[in-house]
Amino acid sequence: MTGSERLRAAFPKDRVALMPYLTAGYPTLEAAREVGEAYIAAGADVVEIGVPFSDPLADGPTIQATTTQALKNGADLDYCLDLASGLAGRVPVVFLVYYNVVFARGVEEFLRAAEEAGVSGLVVPDLPADEVGRFAELCGEYGVGLCPLAAPTSTDERLAWIGKLATGFVYCVSVAGVTGARDELPPGAVELLRRTRERTDAPVALGFGISSPEAAAEAASEADGVIIGSKLMQLVGEGGSERAGDWLSKVREAIVGVRQELHLKNQDQTQPLSPEDGG
Amino acid sequence: MRQKVDTGYFGSFGGRFVPETLIHALEELEENYERYREDPEFVEELEQLARDFVGRPTPFMFAGRLTRKWGGANVWFKREDLAHTGAHKINNALGQILLADRMGKQRIIAETGAGQHGVATATVAALYGKECVVYMGEEDIRRQAPNVVRMKLLGTEVRPVTTGARTLKDATSEAIRDWVTNVEDTHYIIGSVVGPAPYPRIVRDLQSVIGKEIETQARERFGADPDAVVACVGGGSNAIGAFHTFVGREGVRLIGVEAAGRGIETGEHGASLTEGKPGVLHGNLSYVLQTDGGQIREAHSISAGLDYPSVGPEHAYLKDEGFAEYVNVTDDEALEGFKACSRLEGIIPALETSHAIFHAEKVAKELGPGKNLVINISGRGDKDVAVAAEALGVDAQESEEVSGDG
């Protein structure tokens, strides 16, 4: 099974996938491994690992602070790959990585190393569809799932393009803005999920600003996955992996029932095409 | 499937490496720019303001005493320091505010290093009645205080940036984050030929008035093209502006001068073109100062405007194609250029510009008498008097001795 197949298979049919994020190397190189373990114990379906970059343009203050600390701790790409391989045996791992880190390693060499470490998918926030060209082909060759961003400002035409490029999942950005915990789900988020779903057969995940079990449950009615980052990094900062894991368990409880109810109402309409169905 | 119309590339450099959220705004900007750039009303409004508000064309001056001292080519100054607000930055800010106004954007944001772009943006925002926020690194706020006051007097909010080295790179990142968040009602007036497409091209076009005027003025004054044009390069907008008309023209050497900071060997410099390698920062692929792992390094220069670890993608292209030469000058050497220009020509230049002045001496000697060299005096040095006095005051004894012609 390729990484992208494994990633798609990780989206359960009967409920939304739980996709927690961690910054590699935060709060320390060792403690980041514990954070990953806590996520798995809390029932994560996919773990998203942020590869630290000095200038993370898509990230708000919370995640910026974690990447700054991680870089001070010495979290380079080799460390991130090692961290990924330690988790990837049990749960699909996705890298969130800024393009210069990929480019500096060399695109092919980066993909080879990622595949070897068991990384299933890539989110490259500063590589929009316009620039993805050859990179997408190479991801295909290495079987690593590409997970492009879709934004509330994306036109329907672009969403179709993005949807086609997504060999992993489509990462819907809930709000025009950077990452960071917000009190409630922005009103445009559900609309974006619907517009995206109409134009892709890839799973559709929602991220940016989901910071309460309630917001996650709300997203769960339309999304195939919820990505939670800043809130968890805040909790790790305050109380370590244990605190983050406990909170994540609550989110899991909140989202488990949602999709089943919806599923009964809508039958198959909201289902993504999973590998079992489509290939 | 949509295909790219304008690739936004200069050779293999440039592009649009930004989060999806911004793509729509960049497309909107590009469409509007294509629509208005040749619109007679737009062109007339821009030309009228360039004349009445900015004071264009800026003068073209024979620098007689420097010419005699250096003993080489005739030295000419293109006086962008005499443009309203004191630097070339106004050329770009003015064009972009006209675009923003036509796009119906009520809020303007900008990043600034030396503060000249911040002041230019604050100025045009006041002229057009727009809300304006300028991001500026805390370190730059300290060393360019007069410009901070000017922005505030013009009604702009200056937001200090406290991440990283607290200089231009960090201010640019924060401005981009603001734009991602407020993209619907906000136009980002980027200050140099950097950022995602179409910015490098728009800023170049708006700055290319400098080179066009040089061409005309050179023919009036000495009946030929200049033999060399020298300009400082941070992001590179004054240099592209001065070079663009002459790119590929036989007999015209184009020389960009980067900041060597405390010396290339110390690693504390801003010489992206000569010391960096290709990479992606702030939305484009260009030469970038970075570690082997692709982390962006902090730049250093005594001049805040050259304190940037990357450079406009078109410069990367001009360098690789051999259309322009790039060299670098240290902080100390720039201060020498600063002193020479102040004392011999009665013009206190910006510290950025001082890099070009210092290197021009070598070029003037290489060219020899009878040739003509143009230095783009990109900005005036009022903003730098505190930093320069501190740096030069270290050796107060010497500055006493070096009065007059030296």
Side-chain angles (χ1 to χ4, degrees):
Chain A
M1 209 193 280
T2 66
S4 57
E5 285 165 352
R6 194 167 165 233
L7 180 56
R8 286 212 178 185
F11 289 84
K13 289 188 151 194
D14 59 342
R15 62 172 173 81
V16 70
L18 191 59
M19 307 168 74
Y21 162 96
L22 67 91
T23 298
Y26 178 79
T28 66
L29 299 183
E30 256 329 291
R33 297 181 201 275
E34 290 161 24
V35 174
E37 295 299 333
Y39 288 175
I40 292 175
D45 296 292
V46 174
V47 171
E48 192 187 355
I49 293 181
V51 178
F53 178 54
S54 52
D55 296 78
L57 279 188
D59 287 303
T62 306
I63 291 184
Q64 275 180 60
T66 65
T67 55
T68 303
Q69 183 59 47
L71 287 171
K72 277 189 198 147
N73 295 342
D76 59 9
L77 182 56
D78 289 333
Y79 162 82
C80 298
L81 290 163
D82 185 56
L83 175 69
S85 70
L87 302 173
R90 288 164 290 159
V91 65
V93 169
V94 170
F95 263 178
L96 186 142
V97 58
Y98 285 85
Y99 190 58
N100 200 51
V101 174
V102 178
F103 190 81
R105 177 62 68 106
V107 173
E108 285 220 58
E109 206 187 317
F110 175 89
L111 287 170
R112 193 176 304 126
E115 190 212 7
E116 265 176 38
V119 173
S120 298
L122 295 174
V123 180
V124 190
D126 54 351
L127 196 69
D130 313 58
E131 300 294 346
V132 91
R134 178 87 182 118
F135 183 73
E137 288 169 28
L138 288 168
C139 284
E141 283 175 30
Y142 287 89
V144 178
L146 189 64
C147 310
L149 301 191
T153 52
S154 305
T155 59
D156 289 347
E157 198 186 8
R158 284 189 67 85
L159 288 180
W161 188 12
I162 290 161
K164 211 167 196 175
L165 286 170
T167 51
F169 58 88
V170 179
Y171 189 137
C172 287
V173 171
S174 70
V175 63
V178 293
T179 57
R182 291 170 181 87
D183 289 339
E184 41 190 55
L185 204 61
V190 168
E191 172 66 19
L192 172 63
L193 287 166
R194 286 186 184 147
R195 286 202 297 133
T196 307
R197 181 181 302 290
E198 282 168 18
R199 290 166 181 85
T200 187
D201 58 7
V204 175
L206 187 72
F208 281 38
I210 298 171
S211 58
S212 68
E214 295 74 28
E218 198 186 335
S221 65
E222 290 291 339
D224 300 315
V226 287
I227 301 163
I228 305 171
S230 298
K231 177 70 182 181
L232 282 166
M233 287 297 94
Q234 191 187 318
L235 291 169
V236 167
E238 288 165 10
S241 57
E242 199 178 324
R243 179 113 166 241
D246 288 348
W247 185 83
L248 193 62
S249 301
K250 285 189 198 124
V251 176
R252 194 172 197 283
E253 283 163 29
I255 61 176
V256 159
V258 177
R259 198 57 178 275
Q260 274 167 331
E261 281 170 37
L262 198 84
H263 195 59
L264 291 173
K265 273 188 236 159
N266 293 349
Q267 294 301 327
D268 273 343
Q269 281 181 12
T270 56
Q271 283 302 305
L273 190 67
S274 69
E276 288 92 330
D277 296 327
Chain B
M1 187 97 355
R2 189 183 172 279
Q3 294 300 321
K4 279 188 278 189
V5 184
D6 177 359
T7 62
Y9 274 86
F10 306 92
S12 58
F13 299 102
R16 192 173 273 177
F17 295 85
V18 291
E20 171 66 19
T21 308
L22 289 180
I23 296 290
H24 180 68
L26 292 170
E27 287 179 344
E28 181 186 42
L29 176 62
E30 187 159 30
E31 278 162 26
N32 277 281
Y33 181 62
E34 290 308 324
R35 180 172 154 203
Y36 288 114
R37 55 185 294 210
E38 281 167 7
D39 173 64
E41 237 175 76
F42 181 90
V43 172
E44 198 193 318
E45 189 174 338
L46 184 58
E47 283 178 354
Q48 191 201 326
L49 285 166
R51 188 180 65 234
D52 300 345
F53 188 67
V54 179
R56 303 212 72 89
T58 55
F60 190 70
M61 175 192 127
F62 179 58
R65 299 188 72 207
L66 274 180
T67 300
R68 277 199 298 283
K69 174 147 197 267
W70 292 346
N74 295 322
V75 178
W76 300 84
F77 281 180
K78 177 58 176 167
R79 299 290 308 276
E80 289 301 297
D81 60 309
L82 290 177
H84 180 43
T85 70
H88 70 289
K89 294 290 185 189
I90 191 80
N91 303 326
N92 168 48
L94 191 62
Q96 286 205 47
I97 197 86
L98 260 65
L99 270 178
D101 196 50
R102 279 163 174 75
M103 291 190 289
K105 307 278 183 181
Q106 282 310 309
R107 183 171 177 271
I108 300 297
I109 57 168
E111 86 294 339
T112 198
Q116 288 301 127
H117 174 58
V119 168
T121 303
T123 297
V124 298
L127 184 67
Y128 276 79
K130 307 285 186 191
E131 181 192 344
C132 183
V133 173
V134 171
Y135 289 89
M136 189 168 185
E138 254 189 355
E139 167 63 12
D140 291 339
I141 288 178
R142 185 190 64 76
R143 55 181 168 169
Q144 310 279 216
N147 276 342
V148 179
V149 176
R150 291 167 78 195
M151 285 185 266
K152 289 181 174 172
L153 290 172
L154 288 158
T156 280
E157 180 192 343
V158 180
R159 286 196 190 156
V161 176
T162 57
T163 50
R166 306 171 185 211
T167 59
L168 182 54
K169 172 181 77 115
D170 315 292
T172 306
S173 294
E174 269 318 295
I176 293 174
R177 291 188 184 105
D178 180 312
W179 200 33
V180 175
T181 308
N182 300 294
V183 65
E184 291 297 332
D185 72 338
T186 297
H187 176 64
Y188 176 24
I189 301 190
I190 205 163
S192 191
V193 285
V194 298
Y199 277 112
R201 182 167 58 97
I202 293 178
V203 178
R204 177 202 67 199
D205 289 354
L206 292 169
Q207 292 293 2
S208 66
V209 65
I210 302 170
K212 284 178 200 153
E213 288 178 8
I214 291 175
E215 182 183 39
T216 305
Q217 292 165 322
R219 290 200 173 146
E220 280 168 14
R221 302 294 287 277
F222 51 84
D225 281 339
D227 297 290
V229 180
V230 183
C232 64
V233 177
S237 70
N238 93 78
I240 283 282
F243 292 174
H244 187 60
T245 301
F246 302 105
V247 169
R249 194 175 295 185
E250 207 169 314
V252 185
R253 280 175 68 188
L254 304 175
I255 302 160
V257 186
E258 293 191 299
R262 299 196 171 99
I264 296 296
E265 69 287 351
T266 66
E268 296 180 52
H269 57 78
S272 323
L273 281 163
T274 37
E275 297 297 316
K277 57 183 185 185
V280 171
L281 177 65
H282 295 149
N284 70 80
L285 176 61
S286 184
Y287 281 92
V288 179
L289 297 178
Q290 56 186 314
T291 66
D292 289 342
Q295 305 297 337
I296 310 303
R297 283 173 40 198
E298 304 294 354
H300 165 81
S301 171
I302 191 171
S303 62
L306 305 187
D307 198 344
Y308 185 65
S310 183
V311 63
E314 192 167 3
H315 282 294
Y317 168 74
L318 294 179
K319 175 192 154 86
D320 278 14
E321 295 299 314
F323 284 125
E325 312 157 40
Y326 294 91
V327 296
N328 49 66
V329 155
T330 65
D331 290 349
D332 290 343
E333 292 170 334
L335 285 164
E336 289 302 314
F338 180 91
K339 272 200 300 199
C341 186
S342 300
R343 295 183 183 182
L344 293 174
E345 296 295 344
I347 296 167
I348 297 176
L351 282 171
E352 290 77 8
T353 313
S354 302
H355 288 71
I357 296 166
F358 180 85
H359 184 73
E361 179 175 357
K362 291 181 190 165
V363 180
K365 287 174 174 161
E366 277 169 34
L367 290 172
K371 302 282 186 178
N372 291 288
L373 173 155
V374 178
I375 306 174
N376 192 29
I377 304 296
S378 54
R380 69 185 187 213
D382 306 38
K383 69 189 177 59
D384 294 317
V385 291
V387 172
E390 193 188 324
L392 296 170
V394 170
D395 204 343
Q397 204 59 37
E398 190 198 37
S399 27
E400 288 296 310
E401 287 164 14
V402 191
S403 57
D405 272 6

